Amino acid sequence: MAETENFLISIVGRDRVGVISDVTGYLFDIGANLADSSYAVLGEGFEFSAVATFPPAFDPGEGQAGLAALDSLNGARITIEPFDFEPTRGETARITHTVEITGGDRPGLVARISEVLGDYDANIVRMSSKRAVSADGVAHYRTRFAIYVAEDREEMMSSALFNTAGSMRLDLIVEPV
């Protein structure tokens, strides 16, 4: 039998101060060792996900019940399930560049930019998008990608991204990390 087991923990709920402290404190108390994890506020809600290593005797049902009992997770959707992948990252999960696109609402923006990235074998490691409304009521969007791209593909990929963003009348910044 394995010495440890990997699980994916996913939580979606109403954003509150102290959620991360409560969740990570509880997970520590039950023997979790967190690997990759992320937290994002999404509107009035949040999404937390993590890969965690547990001792073999860990019961995911008990873990879910313990998390659900936390006041800060009242009404949250919580799942803990086996994670069948290695928790260590490969080379293409290393961030080499950030790509930031800003401007007005452009339906299909993420699809078009991710297609260009795929054309140049760039791997999206992280992505976030934020909508802000100015005082005069105009919506402004900022989408950020943290990517891996091989050095020999960087220049051509950047040119294609600038062409795509320009055709959509959006501003683009590509920066090496």
Side-chain angles (χ1 to χ4, degrees):
M1 188 167 196
E3 290 184 29
T4 59
E5 296 182 40
N6 299 316
F7 289 86
L8 176 63
I9 302 165
S10 300
I11 306 171
V12 176
R14 179 170 291 282
D15 184 43
R16 296 180 173 98
V17 172
V19 168
I20 292 292
S21 176
D22 291 349
V23 169
T24 58
Y26 173 78
L27 292 172
F28 173 77
D29 289 345
I30 64 170
N33 184 15
L34 297 181
D36 285 347
S37 58
S38 68
Y39 180 88
V41 172
L42 304 169
E44 291 182 348
F46 75 89
E47 185 274 332
F48 171 84
S49 62
V51 175
T53 302
F54 287 93
F58 173 69
D59 178 347
E62 287 180 20
Q64 281 182 217
L67 286 167
L70 298 173
D71 289 340
S72 60
L73 296 184
N74 185 27
R77 187 174 64 235
I78 303 164
T79 59
I80 301 178
E81 56 192 7
F83 187 73
D84 297 328
F85 305 98
E86 285 298 316
T88 54
R89 293 176 172 214
E91 174 66 14
T92 61
R94 181 175 55 89
I95 297 170
T96 61
H97 293 76
T98 59
V99 176
E100 180 175 282
I101 301 111
T102 57
D105 186 12
R106 299 294 185 267
L109 163 69
V110 173
R112 291 189 63 197
I113 295 299
S114 61
E115 287 169 0
V116 171
L117 294 171
D119 289 344
Y120 293 91
D121 300 320
N123 187 42
I124 298 170
V125 180
R126 295 254 183 218
M127 185 201 84
S128 67
S129 186
K130 182 187 277 187
R131 178 181 182 259
V133 179
S134 64
D136 58 359
V138 176
H140 182 81
Y141 293 81
R142 172 173 283 144
T143 303
R144 291 181 177 148
F145 296 87
I147 65 166
Y148 166 86
V149 64
E151 192 174 320
D152 64 335
R153 308 284 292 186
E154 172 188 352
E155 190 175 325
M156 292 186 320
M157 177 206 67
S158 292
S159 293
L161 286 171
F162 277 102
N163 288 339
T164 301
S167 73
M168 298 176 81
R169 296 183 312 279
L170 297 169
D171 295 320
L172 175 80
I173 299 171
V174 177
E175 293 182 319
V177 173

